[in-house]
Amino acid sequence: MLADATTRKRRKDARPSELSAAALSLFVEKGFSATRLEDVASRAGVSKGTLYLYFDSKEALFKAVIQEGILPVVAENEAIAAKHTGSSFELLEKLLDNWWGKIGLTEFAGIPKLMVAEARNFPEVARFYYENVICRGRALVGAALERGMAAGEFRRMDVETTIDVVIAPILMLLIWRFSLGCCQNSESNPRLYLQIHLDILRHGLRGSHSESQV
Amino acid sequence: MLADATTRKRRKDARPSELSAAALSLFVEKGFSATRLEDVASRAGVSKGTLYLYFDSKEALFKAVIQEGILPVVAENEAIAAKHTGSSFELLEKLLDNWWGKIGLTEFAGIPKLMVAEARNFPEVARFYYENVICRGRALVGAALERGMAAGEFRRMDVETTIDVVIAPILMLLIWRFSLGCCQNSESNPRLYLQIHLDILRHGLRGSHSESQV
Amino acid sequence: MLADATTRKRRKDARPSELSAAALSLFVEKGFSATRLEDVASRAGVSKGTLYLYFDSKEALFKAVIQEGILPVVAENEAIAAKHTGSSFELLEKLLDNWWGKIGLTEFAGIPKLMVAEARNFPEVARFYYENVICRGRALVGAALERGMAAGEFRRMDVETTIDVVIAPILMLLIWRFSLGCCQNSESNPRLYLQIHLDILRHGLRGSHSESQV
Amino acid sequence: MLADATTRKRRKDARPSELSAAALSLFVEKGFSATRLEDVASRAGVSKGTLYLYFDSKEALFKAVIQEGILPVVAENEAIAAKHTGSSFELLEKLLDNWWGKIGLTEFAGIPKLMVAEARNFPEVARFYYENVICRGRALVGAALERGMAAGEFRRMDVETTIDVVIAPILMLLIWRFSLGCCQNSESNPRLYLQIHLDILRHGLRGSHSESQV
DNA sequence: TATGAATGAGTATTCATTCAT
DNA sequence: AATGAATGAATACTCATTCAT
């Protein structure tokens, strides 16, 4: 009896994240519209009605999916940046490492593709994501770039734009995996991809003395 | 009379591309599922039924949208690459310029976001896009990279992976514009973005003598 | 020129029956609702619009199909009955022979199945058919039966009901051919069927002296 | 509480046959194509969506309608034939009696008309009906005929064809009721019709000694 | 809490009908 | 007379959402 109650309690507490996990994988796989709530429920092992005990609507489920996954990682990265000492490029590497471990290698990897696909239909969620993930992530990269420029480690460039160029391949890596990546026959090698991205940045962002070589 | 017949003829010939243009903009804006064919029709100034005179189904319309826009540009870029003389980096710049003018500045700019969002739901179209756009585009960039490496202009790197890193920011620029780009308040500056991307590449791909500086 | 005009004239005169012939075969094959006017038109070698030059609506076409086919045969049978001398059973045979040659062996054979399938949806046409084909046909058979009973050739039975029993196998033969007949593997033999029907009637209708044997 | 649960259960169990009964009457009345599923649902007192909880498609509903009604009666008739002793004609009468009571006087009476009208459009269902109803019914009649011929009760005739002639008026009686029967003013008298059919058969099938009287 | 039967608004698709040429 | 492009009403079917149990 008691055990049952406990189990049930544990069950109940876990439900929302079980459901949003199920939703995430289906949303990522088929897109938001093409995902049926019945499938979400059955993947989570509950009935369709139960879903509505935890989420008011399909859109609310979408919001939960987006909000749950990535925020903690952003906060972690902010902490990493705050206590970083060493070169600015090393900071970029650390941020990327953490992101990769916490997002790229987990089920949350699908979120960027999902958010990109649905941003126009859910402006409110898009704004939330933009402000809490994108902006804060850009701020971290931006601070690292400015720090490096100030130290002469990186040459001077338009910071706001450089942020985007630096981030783009990382987002694209995940987006690709959940979209056209299905079509390619060869195995992709994300480790190598990220390493080459960093290599190019290492040279490409380098201090102004390099610039004269152009 | 004659004028009218001609007009009608011209009208009929123009219909398919009028319709696929309308469809493209709605698909990009709302996603495939969330786009109602009635809206596509009325944006093109015709009735729902007329759409079916030209496309067998919503999916057929989707295929047409994807297939029409980008193929010619790929072919142009292949021609550009074939007759190029000069540095390999200049070739990359030329390819990017043409792509930007023919895709980035036109209505076709939305295709990458659309394709990314729907690839999983339309594997057949995704494969078509992958083989005819992605593969051929990658081949062009890959050839330029290898040429540059052979000439000592670029240092040696894993070509297949570098291709992806080089292309990613360009795709991401378009994808962003049609997704989270809506959220940002500041005007984005794609010219500057592409220039910085090229700057970073110019330094980042440079021949091995630079590598010792790391 | 003149030839052309003549041809066109002949063409024009023939159109309605070409169209209703095409409609008949499609109606019979697929049913009224499932038949598309475009298919009717193209089977008749004209465009969809042309159909409307000759028939106001799909229902009008249906009426024409029903009305054209069988009426003349009814009239012929009335003439046959009027001038008949000989036994009453021979009259029944003659009527059946003519019906078989003019309906059963022609494209009109499909009309009974069509009329049966659609009677409820087109009460007006059904009534027309009932009054002009069914009633007049029943009257002919009824007269033959009464004549035979009066002569002692047939035993006394309820005429109105016997008419139906006598006619039923003949209608059913045609209806079957255009419905479940498709399913049977063996070739059906309508000649034999009709002969056995007549054989049974020959004995079954026989005068009252037989009745005592029951 | 318990009562309610039971009620609901009973409700759910009853739904499929409530729905197929509603469908049967509408299909018979208007034909398959002309019947709207919404009307079927509302005749059964449920909403359109509910129909799809029990039947996958309109065609599946059609199949169910056809399959449910008649099969049990065929089986009953097979049992009747198996245990019959007495004259072969009496067996025919028994079979007819049972058919009439279980089909002719029930809602299932409309099935033959429906099947005839739609056979061409649903070859699969038609085949099912042909094999499970028609063939088995014909086998029963055929066996009775052969038994009677062997006993000298009936004269020798081609059995396969005679089966059809014997069955036709019975099918036609039902088909008529749901088609052109609407048009006739006088009340039809199916009892009398069947009796006359049997009377004619009684004389018409009789053994060869009668034949000499022709 | 959890269920799943029931709902009905929403959309892709078809096709009879019209009409400018 | 003939065409066939265009129309839009009609309908099968889906699925988010509700609610009685």
Side-chain angles (χ1 to χ4, degrees), chain B residues 151-214:
Chain B
E153 182 183 350
F154 303 147
R155 62 193 156 87
R156 294 261 158 222
M157 312 166 77
D158 180 84
V159 174
E160 287 304 307
T161 309
T162 305
I163 293 169
D164 291 332
V165 177
V166 167
I167 290 177
I170 300 164
L171 289 177
M172 202 62 218
L173 173 60
L174 295 187
I175 290 172
W176 182 261
R177 191 199 302 171
F178 293 96
S179 57
L180 289 157
C182 315
C183 296
Q184 69 192 5
N185 303 317
S186 59
E187 277 303 292
S188 66
N189 185 340
R191 278 272 158 229
L192 181 58
Y193 177 100
L194 291 174
Q195 184 204 310
I196 288 183
H197 177 43
L198 284 174
D199 281 350
I200 290 176
L201 287 183
R202 186 179 297 114
H203 296 80
L205 296 175
R206 189 179 302 161
S208 50
H209 58 285
S210 311
E211 198 130 16
S212 60
Q213 301 180 1
V214 179

Side-chain angles (χ1 to χ4, degrees), chain A residues 146-156 205-209:
Chain A
E146 278 172 348
R147 185 169 172 277
M149 290 182 196
E153 183 184 351
F154 304 147
R155 62 195 156 88
R156 294 260 158 224
L205 296 175
R206 191 178 302 164
S208 51
H209 59 284

Side-chain angles (χ1 to χ4, degrees), chain C residues 77 80-82 84-101 136-149 153-155 157 159 162-168 170 191 194-195 197-206, chain D residues 200:
Chain C
N77 270 2
I80 288 171
H84 176 76
T85 60
S87 79
S88 294
F89 192 80
E90 282 164 3
L91 174 53
L92 289 176
E93 284 180 310
K94 274 192 200 167
L95 296 174
L96 178 54
D97 265 2
N98 192 51
W99 163 273
W100 183 247
R136 287 163 66 187
R138 290 182 86 259
L140 287 170
V141 173
L145 289 175
E146 278 174 346
R147 184 169 172 277
M149 291 181 196
E153 180 183 353
F154 305 147
R155 61 194 157 87
M157 313 165 77
V159 174
T162 305
I163 292 171
D164 292 331
V165 176
V166 166
I167 290 177
I170 300 164
R191 278 272 157 231
L194 291 174
Q195 183 203 309
H197 176 44
L198 283 174
D199 280 351
I200 290 176
L201 287 182
R202 185 179 298 114
H203 296 81
L205 296 175
R206 192 181 300 164
Chain D
I200 290 176

Side-chain angles (χ1 to χ4, degrees), chain C:
Chain C
M1 288 295 152
L2 194 59
D4 254 7
T6 311
T7 298
R8 169 176 278 198
K9 186 63 165 42
R10 215 180 307 131
R11 213 54 198 296
K12 184 192 160 191
D13 291 348
R15 276 284 149 76
S17 50
E18 285 170 16
L19 286 165
S20 64
L24 171 56
S25 60
L26 284 168
F27 285 166
V28 166
E29 182 185 341
K30 311 158 96 75
F32 177 80
S33 301
T35 297
R36 301 183 313 139
L37 287 190
E38 185 150 25
D39 290 341
V40 173
S42 80
R43 179 172 295 208
V46 301
S47 75
K48 207 171 16 163
T50 302
L51 226 164
Y52 281 85
L53 297 175
Y54 298 97
F55 300 96
D56 284 345
S57 66
K58 196 181 183 184
E59 179 163 355
L61 182 58
F62 178 74
K63 283 187 202 173
V65 161
I66 295 298
Q67 294 177 14
E68 275 179 20
I70 296 190
L71 279 188
V73 184
V74 176
E76 284 179 36
N77 270 2
E78 287 169 339
I80 288 171
K83 62 170 105 116
H84 176 76
T85 60
S87 79
S88 294
F89 192 80
E90 282 164 3
L91 174 53
L92 289 176
E93 284 180 310
K94 274 192 200 167
L95 296 174
L96 178 54
D97 265 2
N98 192 51
W99 163 273
W100 183 247
K102 301 294 171 46
I103 303 292
L105 295 178
T106 69
E107 55 176 343
F108 300 129
I111 288 180
K113 182 261 179 179
L114 175 58
M115 193 67 254
V116 153
E118 304 297 340
R120 292 268 179 111
N121 282 321
F122 301 97
E124 186 195 343
V125 184
R127 174 148 296 279
F128 173 89
Y129 188 81
Y130 180 75
E131 287 169 0
N132 291 282
V133 180
I134 301 291
C135 287
R136 287 163 66 187
R138 290 182 86 259
L140 287 170
V141 173
L145 289 175
E146 278 174 346
R147 184 169 172 277
M149 291 181 196
E153 180 183 353
F154 305 147
R155 61 194 157 87
R156 293 261 159 224
M157 313 165 77
D158 179 84
V159 174
E160 288 304 308
T161 308
T162 305
I163 292 171
D164 292 331
V165 176
V166 166
I167 290 177
I170 300 164
L171 289 178
M172 201 62 218
L173 173 60
L174 295 188
I175 290 172
W176 181 262
R177 190 199 302 170
F178 292 96
S179 56
L180 288 156
C182 314
C183 296
Q184 70 193 4
N185 303 316
S186 59
E187 277 303 291
S188 65
N189 184 341
R191 278 272 157 231
L192 181 57
Y193 177 99
L194 291 174
Q195 183 203 309
I196 289 183
H197 176 44
L198 283 174
D199 280 351
I200 290 176
L201 287 182
R202 185 179 298 114
H203 296 81
L205 296 175
R206 192 181 300 164
S208 51
H209 59 283
S210 310
E211 199 128 14
S212 59
Q213 301 179 0
V214 180

Side-chain angles (χ1 to χ4, degrees), chain D residues 97-167:
Chain D
D97 264 2
N98 191 52
W99 164 273
W100 182 249
K102 302 293 172 47
I103 304 290
L105 296 178
T106 69
E107 54 176 344
F108 301 129
I111 289 180
K113 182 261 181 180
L114 175 57
M115 193 68 255
V116 154
E118 304 297 340
R120 291 273 179 107
N121 285 102
F122 300 96
E124 187 196 342
V125 185
R127 175 149 295 278
F128 173 88
Y129 188 81
Y130 179 75
E131 287 171 0
N132 292 282
V133 180
I134 301 291
C135 286
R136 287 164 64 185
R138 291 182 84 259
L140 287 171
V141 173
L145 290 174
E146 278 172 348
R147 186 171 171 275
M149 291 182 195
E153 181 183 351
F154 304 147
R155 62 193 156 89
R156 294 261 160 223
M157 312 166 77
D158 179 84
V159 175
E160 289 304 308
T161 308
T162 306
I163 293 170
D164 292 331
V165 177
V166 167
I167 290 176

